[in-house]
Amino acid sequence: MNWAAVVLFASFGVLMVVGVPIAFAIGIASALTFLLFMSFDQTIFIVAQQMVSGLDSFTLLAIPFFILAGNIMNRGGIALRLIEFAKVLGGRLPGALAHCNVIANMMFGAISGSAVASAAAVGGVMAPLQRKEGYDPAYSAAVNIASSPTGLLIPPSTALIVFSLITGGTSISALFVAGYLPGILLGLSIMVVAGIIAKRRGYPVAPRPSMAEVRRKTLDAILPLGLIIVIMGGIIAGIFTATEASAAAVLYSLVLALFWFREIGWRDLPRIFLESAVTTTIVLLMIGASIAMSRAMAFGDIPFALSDYLLMLSDNPVVILLIINVALLVIGTFMDMTPALLIFTPIFYPVVSDLGMDPVHFGIMMTLNLSIGICTPPVGSALFVGCSVGGVPIARVIRPMLPLYVAMIVLLMAVTFIPEISLALPRWLLNYG
Amino acid sequence: MRRLADGLLRFGIIVVFAVLLVCVSWQVISRYALGTPSTVTDELARFLFMWLALVGGAYTYGQGRHLAIDLLPTSLSGRPRQLNEALITLLIAAFAAVVMVWGGFQLVQRTLVSGQISPSLQLPMGWVYGAVPLSGLIIIAYAAANLGRIAKGGTTLNPPEELPAPKGDTLS
């Protein structure tokens, strides 16, 4: 019996159920675990030290900047222009507006990389339009919710930065490039399911837009989408590190929003800065506490014990990967992505390393898996936001979500067992691995 | 009091964030324009970032914005709800007092005694770590105010939102 694991998980579980904010629950549970191995004075010293040293990283600076860039783009009217452009791209398919929603979520994700922001921004605009054309609001909300995590896989992605940090420096550029294909496949599989349902229900195809309209909307979207080239081009070519690219993204979006679209002014900036800082610190405090927790786990040999246990159940890699995926799906239903990544990566990573799995492949698998979790009740941030902007109760969205969950899980299996889906692009573009 | 503290922290957060942006931008420019990346801005950015994370995290607690699983707290009502919220607040305050203030203070003291100095800014590292006990103190102050609110029958779960934003995981 591994007592460290019992203390850690029991105390963490109780604290979480009671409703203690996760960052503090992690901190308290780690401190209690350390107490098994050292004196009180040593314990409080080491937890305080780990909290602050976990945050001493130049790489982590990319997180506030990518969040800030996304917020500036969002307030600056960029989301609307992307949606207009998405209408041009997806308009001729059955259930046109649903496809626009998916495409807009993918483009939004390529710029900001937050599923919640994207579900709110894109869904908020698309829901009333779809309702007017006779779409079932529950269907529209479900499509919006399920496609919003595409942005977590399509770079820039703060989730992948966090993964890189906890695995001790898995290449961020490789993770970013690896996310493209799975992210796009996720969007496409949602579009296939949404299209089949739309065809059956006879949802309308949009009228063919005029050439002038196509030209204008495309031109409007070119500058926002140019950010992708700045960020990813810079990273792939080796000009920027992720942190530098994130600062470049902020400057690019500031210039665009302040001087080109002019939908925000200088006076709006303090508020946007503050909001971005607050959302960032929610994540950062959790990161600091989790660094302490992963040290506590290492002290208690928890990953080792669990890995032994899993390997005892089976030494077949396929079975182990299935077990890990099922465990993560269950965890994802009640836990948000960041804490789940922070807590369970240090546990499962050593196991899959033993199996010889590539860290980039594992990171993509984990992110995709937990992306399903943020769309499921009882706790799912994309689900909550999608329902609230769509004006639909959660209970009604579950039914139209079911076929979409199936599509997501099929893709998850493909990503888990076909490493090339994640690794082909980084190998080709970055000579990874 | 609370308003003044909120206002001061807000101002500090915005300024530090803006300075951070300038630091990292300068970092990129100095590397390409001058050929040598500035080590001063690299260090300054990292230190300010730690302060932003910890002190900003305390402010975020004051705004009731930290991510929690609130299925149980929101399903309770009346007296049990009040007690549950008081328990949450006390646990947070205890962690802040014991680990962040007491443990953090020891961290600061021992680092100052060891004489560790940051390589390019020549700052004693003990001061840099001062963000931990400071953050702990701010959290305790907010927790005390929250306890007062709970005792009067108020709630801390959904405080008057100053910043209308979707609650939820900010990374996802």
Side-chain angles (χ1 to χ4, degrees), chain A residues 12-90:
Chain A
F12 180 65
V14 170
L15 290 164
M16 230 173 37
V17 171
V18 167
V20 175
I22 295 175
F24 294 98
I26 295 175
I28 298 172
S30 327
L32 292 175
T33 312
F34 273 121
L35 277 177
L36 293 175
F37 305 102
M38 49 184 75
S39 75
F40 180 78
D41 272 351
Q42 285 170 315
T43 296
I44 59 173
F45 178 83
I46 200 167
V47 176
Q49 185 196 38
Q50 295 297 319
M51 270 180 84
V52 67
S53 61
L55 293 168
D56 186 2
S57 142
F58 198 72
T59 310
L60 273 183
L61 268 160
I63 293 179
F65 291 149
F66 278 132
I67 290 178
L68 178 60
N71 276 342
I72 294 170
M73 286 257 171
N74 208 354
R75 302 279 170 87
I78 314 273
L80 275 176
R81 289 174 174 86
L82 291 183
I83 291 170
E84 288 303 317
F85 182 52
K87 281 190 195 158
V88 173
L89 294 179

Side-chain angles (χ1 to χ4, degrees), chain A residues 102-182:
Chain A
V102 178
I103 296 171
N105 268 335
M106 286 160 68
M107 289 193 291
F108 197 87
I111 285 179
S112 96
S114 153
V116 173
S118 165
V122 179
V125 175
M126 297 305 292
L129 294 180
Q130 285 172 287
R131 197 176 293 234
K132 214 159 57 186
E133 292 205 3
Y135 288 63
D136 173 12
Y139 162 85
S140 320
V143 171
N144 179 38
I145 292 163
S147 61
S148 65
T150 49
L152 297 174
L153 291 160
I154 298 174
S157 159
T158 36
L160 293 174
I161 297 175
V162 170
F163 177 84
S164 151
L165 177 87
I166 351 170
T167 49
T170 304
S171 155
I172 291 186
S173 4
L175 282 165
F176 272 13
V177 173
Y180 270 119
L181 205 51

Side-chain angles (χ1 to χ4, degrees), chain A residues 22 56 115-116 239 281 283 338, chain B residues 31-32 46 60 67 169-170 172:
Chain A
I22 295 175
D56 186 2
V116 173
I239 300 172
T281 61
V283 178
T338 320
Chain B
R31 206 176 59 179
Y32 284 96
R46 273 176 23 228
T60 304
L67 192 64
D169 190 346
T170 49
S172 51

Side-chain angles (χ1 to χ4, degrees), chain B residues 14 99 169:
Chain B
I14 294 168
V99 172
D169 190 346

Side-chain angles (χ1 to χ4, degrees), chain A residues 160-375:
Chain A
L160 293 174
I161 297 175
V162 170
F163 177 84
S164 151
L165 177 87
I166 351 170
T167 49
T170 304
S171 155
I172 291 186
S173 4
L175 282 165
F176 272 13
V177 173
Y180 270 119
L181 205 51
I184 292 169
L185 286 175
L186 177 61
L188 290 178
S189 44
I190 304 291
M191 282 171 75
V192 169
V193 176
I196 293 171
I197 298 173
K199 181 122 206 173
R200 228 186 262 161
R201 296 188 181 176
Y203 288 153
V205 174
R208 192 182 289 279
S210 72
M211 250 352 257
E213 223 179 329
V214 171
R215 194 175 310 131
R216 188 175 52 79
K217 290 179 174 173
T218 311
L219 281 177
D220 260 356
I222 280 183
L223 281 175
L225 291 175
L227 183 59
I228 301 172
I229 296 168
V230 173
I231 300 175
M232 289 313 294
I235 291 179
I236 293 171
I239 300 172
F240 288 144
T241 63
T243 308
E244 293 169 345
S246 68
V250 171
L251 298 180
Y252 186 100
S253 51
L254 263 181
V255 169
L256 208 57
L258 285 174
F259 305 118
W260 186 257
F261 294 130
R262 293 199 195 157
E263 293 200 8
I264 54 169
W266 291 97
R267 48 171 31 200
D268 299 310
L269 290 186
R271 199 157 195 86
I272 297 177
F273 270 63
L274 179 67
E275 181 50 45
S276 310
V278 165
T279 38
T280 312
T281 61
I282 299 175
V283 178
L284 294 181
L285 214 58
M286 276 195 291
I287 291 179
S290 323
I291 300 296
M293 186 182 240
S294 60
R295 275 296 291 274
M297 285 179 184
F299 256 87
D301 265 345
I302 295 175
F304 194 69
L306 189 99
S307 146
D308 264 5
Y309 181 70
L310 273 178
L311 292 171
M312 212 171 65
L313 286 177
S314 165
D315 52 5
N316 182 345
V318 175
V319 178
I320 293 188
L321 283 179
L322 279 175
I323 296 175
I324 292 179
N325 268 309
V326 171
L328 286 172
L329 282 172
V330 173
I331 290 158
T333 59
F334 62 88
M335 204 185 253
D336 258 317
M337 174 168 267
T338 320
L341 266 180
L342 286 168
I343 295 165
F344 293 97
T345 307
I347 296 184
F348 290 134
Y349 182 59
V351 181
V352 299
S353 290
D354 273 359
L355 298 179
M357 191 174 187
D358 186 276
V360 168
H361 177 203
F362 179 58
I364 299 295
M365 182 197 99
M366 228 171 140
T367 308
L368 175 59
N369 186 311
L370 296 171
S371 292
I372 304 175
I374 63 167
C375 303

